[in-house]
Amino acid sequence: MRLLLLITFIISITAGCSNGSNGSAEVNSTLDGKDDAVHYDQELGKFVPPVDLYTVGSVNPDINFKEGENLENNVHTRWAEERLGIRIRYLWTIPDSNEAYANKLRLELVKGNMPDIVTTRDHELIHELIDSGQFIEVGELFDQYASPVWKSAMDEVPSVWDSYIRDDKKYAIPILDYEYSADPILWIREDWLKRLNLPVPQTFIELEAVMDAFTYEDPDGNGVKDTYGLSLGFRYGPSTWMGDSSWIFGAFRAVPEQWNVQADGQLQYGSTSPGTKQALGLLKNWVSKGYISPDSEWFDEEHAASLFTDGKAGIIAGPYWMDGWPLSNVKNSAPEAVVQAVPIPAGPTGVVQRRGTQPVNGAILINKKMKHPEIFFIYQNYLFDYYATSTGEFTNGLAKGYDWTEINGIPTIEPEYLPQGGIRVASYTLTFDGARIPSKVIKAIPNNIIPVLFSQKESSQKEQFTGPPTKTMRTNWELLRKLEQKTFQKMIFSDIPVESFDSFVQKWSQYGGEQITQEVNNWHLSQNPQQ
């Protein structure tokens, strides 16, 4: 029985406290400062009465609810209480973007108002939380309490732990994702191509011809010049999860905002590579020709996507899952729209490179004040054992009538049979996606997209520096990131010449970049001593 491991650890932490004739275990409730005893009933496989697990959350735009439900009260929170005896409690939720959630967390961190567990996808925030000293070392907890399925999934890519290690101890649990989950591919309006009698672009030359036509030849047939060839989001830089432009830089072997291996085996920051200058020049040219909205300088990922879904742009780059959200929304503005996934076109010298992504999408941190962090492992183990493996009660999905249903006794996830086209219950879970095993990516990708994504698998360039922030990064990296972001924005969208890129690289080096490069390569050498 899979619950045997859970029962064992509960008994182990409460030795001598059992007072039930049926072998139930007594533990303490969490974070409320009380010692109200609750029992874990072995036969029922849950806490009786339920135990509280406190967290915080953000209601992002991709979350939808049935009427009467919200993040605090929904089909998943009810399931957790009924099935596991765990009441998921929210100290607060914020109905806004990830940025607002991060800022709220920072404010509460200063006050010391942290819940039992915090989950976030913000890489910089994770390190701020670790460095606050308010969260416990989790490596031993994981080794002791994580289920074999969860451990096996983590073992697929051991490097996902690297960034969260301090003095050989682990202070955050990586939230695993599927392999290639954020690698960009191109999404294009196939109906626009057909209307204008254009082929799918396979090179940058062909891409420019398509963008020109999408911009100036009235692809939507409304008689108004109100469309762009390509939608980008540059508010946070070129490497983003929707409206990505890393593939443009990659065409010049300069995937930005990450550390890449060079011919000599050393790591170089992609945004300072010589090819970046060429990419910036090309982007500036495309903006001047009207292929890209000049307002893209201020677009975040969701705004960039909305330009496409509103029928105002014909091409956007982003991950395979965009097909479901948000690109399906294009039907609201253009019912006749047909969106096709296509490979990234080859650059001027035939090169294709895109931002490759590690199979990790955030981290879980556990408050030092949480008396029994094992309770969280009960919850997450169950999701890995059943949801990640599509077995047991989660064979078809997390909740019948939400993300799956039955038609004539046959399970289906087709949108037309589901409320609101399908309600993504995984978004309600404490780790955003329920539980994912990196190698099981194939099951998540629509069949028509699989060959597009994997045809350019070798073009994925993953971040090569996966360690914790270096000494100089801690003091200088925010300044360097702002310098990069503002300089690139001005080069592309304003009148600063691309030739000033050389001056930017010089400043970047002087302001700590050179020292950081040395520190990053020292770490790289320590991980690869044979080099």
Side-chain angles (χ1 to χ4, degrees):
M1 185 176 182
R2 290 179 183 267
L3 289 177
L4 179 59
L5 176 64
L6 306 181
I7 296 166
T8 300
F9 80 66
I10 293 173
I11 293 174
S12 71
I13 64 172
T14 58
C17 296
S18 178
N19 58 7
S21 58
N22 64 352
S24 61
E26 183 179 306
V27 298
N28 293 325
S29 60
T30 62
L31 200 67
D32 58 4
K34 301 177 182 179
D35 287 328
D36 299 331
V38 295
H39 296 277
Y40 186 83
D41 189 296
Q42 295 184 28
E43 291 186 3
L44 295 177
K46 66 179 183 179
F47 291 101
V48 181
V51 62
D52 291 335
L53 176 62
Y54 287 89
T55 188
V56 294
S58 173
V59 183
N60 295 322
D62 63 331
I63 300 181
N64 57 338
F65 299 98
K66 278 189 176 181
E67 185 176 353
E69 296 191 349
N70 53 41
L71 193 59
E72 295 94 331
N73 179 22
N74 56 65
V75 66
H76 180 70
T77 57
R78 292 192 296 272
W79 169 85
E81 182 170 353
E82 293 167 5
R83 180 68 185 85
L84 302 177
I86 298 175
R87 288 185 298 233
I88 299 174
R89 303 293 200 190
Y90 285 85
L91 295 184
W92 51 262
T93 63
I94 190 164
D96 209 329
S97 65
N98 292 329
E99 184 177 7
Y101 174 70
N103 290 337
K104 173 69 172 174
L105 264 177
R106 290 185 175 99
L107 178 63
E108 298 302 323
L109 181 67
V110 173
K111 300 177 184 178
N113 295 338
M114 291 290 99
D116 286 350
I117 67 164
V118 171
T119 55
T120 177
R121 290 171 167 167
D122 188 317
H123 185 70
E124 293 181 4
L125 178 60
I126 293 169
H127 293 294
E128 292 178 37
L129 294 170
I130 292 174
D131 294 341
S132 74
Q134 296 184 37
F135 297 90
I136 197 170
E137 195 275 332
V138 296
E140 292 184 4
L141 289 172
F142 187 84
D143 291 343
Q144 186 173 2
Y145 300 124
S147 73
V149 174
W150 192 1
K151 287 179 179 177
S152 177
M154 202 75 77
D155 287 344
E156 289 186 1
V157 192
S159 63
V160 296
W161 286 102
D162 291 351
S163 185
Y164 310 136
I165 294 175
R166 304 287 189 275
D167 298 324
D168 296 325
K169 294 183 177 181
K170 301 168 181 174
Y171 284 89
I173 303 173
I175 297 174
L176 291 174
D177 206 341
Y178 294 130
E179 292 177 325
Y180 307 102
S181 63
D183 287 41
I185 55 179
L186 282 198
W187 301 93
I188 193 167
R189 285 288 297 271
E190 183 181 12
D191 55 313
W192 286 12
L193 290 175
K194 289 183 177 180
R195 178 190 293 269
L196 300 175
N197 195 28
L198 294 168
V200 172
Q202 298 184 30
T203 67
F204 270 34
I205 292 176
E206 294 176 355
L207 176 65
E208 289 196 16
V210 169
M211 290 193 297
D212 190 86
F214 281 3
T215 304
Y216 294 107
E217 296 183 18
D218 193 23
D220 56 0
N222 68 355
V224 180
K225 184 189 175 304
D226 59 352
T227 55
Y228 295 98
L230 176 66
S231 182
L232 298 179
F234 225 85
R235 179 176 177 180
Y236 300 118
S239 190
T240 58
W241 51 280
M242 290 194 298
D244 178 78
S245 56
S246 70
W247 55 280
I248 300 171
F249 291 76
F252 301 95
R253 301 185 185 277
V255 178
E257 298 185 317
Q258 66 179 42
W259 296 85
N260 306 308
V261 176
Q262 305 304 296
D264 62 0
Q266 295 284 299
L267 298 187
Q268 182 181 35
Y269 188 56
S271 299
T272 63
S273 300
T276 295
K277 183 177 182 179
Q278 295 173 275
L280 291 169
L282 182 61
L283 280 166
K284 189 179 187 74
N285 179 260
W286 288 354
V287 171
S288 70
K289 289 181 176 180
Y291 302 161
I292 300 170
S293 168
D295 295 329
S296 299
E297 177 180 3
W298 312 115
F299 288 175
D300 62 12
E301 294 87 348
E302 289 159 14
H303 198 152
S306 69
L307 193 70
F308 186 96
T309 58
D310 289 345
K312 301 304 178 184
I315 305 170
I316 190 170
Y320 69 80
W321 47 259
M322 283 182 69
D323 185 48
W325 178 91
L327 297 189
S328 59
N329 293 337
V330 73
K331 294 286 188 179
N332 298 332
S333 60
E336 77 287 354
V338 178
V339 178
Q340 180 182 1
V342 302
I344 294 170
T349 62
V351 174
V352 176
Q353 288 188 355
R354 68 188 185 201
R355 175 175 64 99
T357 49
Q358 298 285 350
V360 59
N361 195 7
I364 306 147
L365 297 98
I366 300 177
N367 196 332
K368 284 183 175 179
K369 296 179 182 178
M370 187 179 184
K371 292 182 179 179
H372 291 290
E374 302 90 345
I375 294 169
F376 168 70
F377 285 89
I378 292 178
Y379 168 87
Q380 196 62 22
N381 281 346
Y382 197 96
L383 290 178
F384 264 98
D385 290 351
Y386 296 103
Y387 180 61
T389 59
S390 299
T391 57
E393 64 181 291
F394 296 144
T395 298
N396 302 307
L398 278 171
K400 186 177 182 181
Y402 287 77
D403 57 1
W404 74 281
T405 190
E406 284 185 347
I407 301 298
N408 298 323
I410 301 174
T412 181
I413 60 172
E414 292 300 320
E416 60 263 36
Y417 301 119
L418 296 170
Q420 303 177 46
I423 296 176
R424 190 175 184 274
V425 180
S427 297
Y428 308 162
T429 64
L430 294 177
T431 54
F432 315 118
D433 297 310
R436 289 180 170 179
I437 298 172
S439 60
K440 290 188 176 294
V441 62
I442 292 294
K443 77 172 188 176
I445 308 176
N447 290 335
N448 63 314
I449 299 174
I450 289 175
V452 175
L453 179 64
F454 288 101
S455 67
Q456 296 181 326
K457 182 170 62 173
E458 302 305 319
S459 298
S460 290
Q461 303 296 307
K462 291 183 172 63
E463 166 71 71
Q464 295 301 303
F465 175 66
T466 58
T470 69
K471 178 180 178 180
T472 310
M473 274 184 177
R474 292 176 182 275
T475 56
N476 294 46
W477 194 246
E478 184 176 357
L479 170 65
L480 293 176
R481 287 286 293 118
K482 288 181 178 178
L483 172 66
E484 175 188 340
Q485 182 177 336
K486 296 301 181 184
T487 302
F488 285 11
Q489 286 176 328
K490 289 178 180 178
M491 285 184 189
I492 295 170
F493 299 99
S494 300
D495 56 359
I496 292 182
V498 173
E499 286 69 29
S500 62
F501 175 79
D502 298 331
S503 175
F504 154 73
V505 174
Q506 185 177 18
K507 287 182 180 178
W508 186 89
S509 298
Q510 292 173 345
Y511 294 169
E514 183 176 1
Q515 180 61 33
I516 289 172
T517 300
Q518 182 61 54
E519 293 168 355
V520 165
N521 276 288
N522 287 343
W523 173 89
H524 181 58
L525 182 61
S526 72
Q527 304 299 305
N528 304 273
Q530 70 278 7
Q531 291 187 355

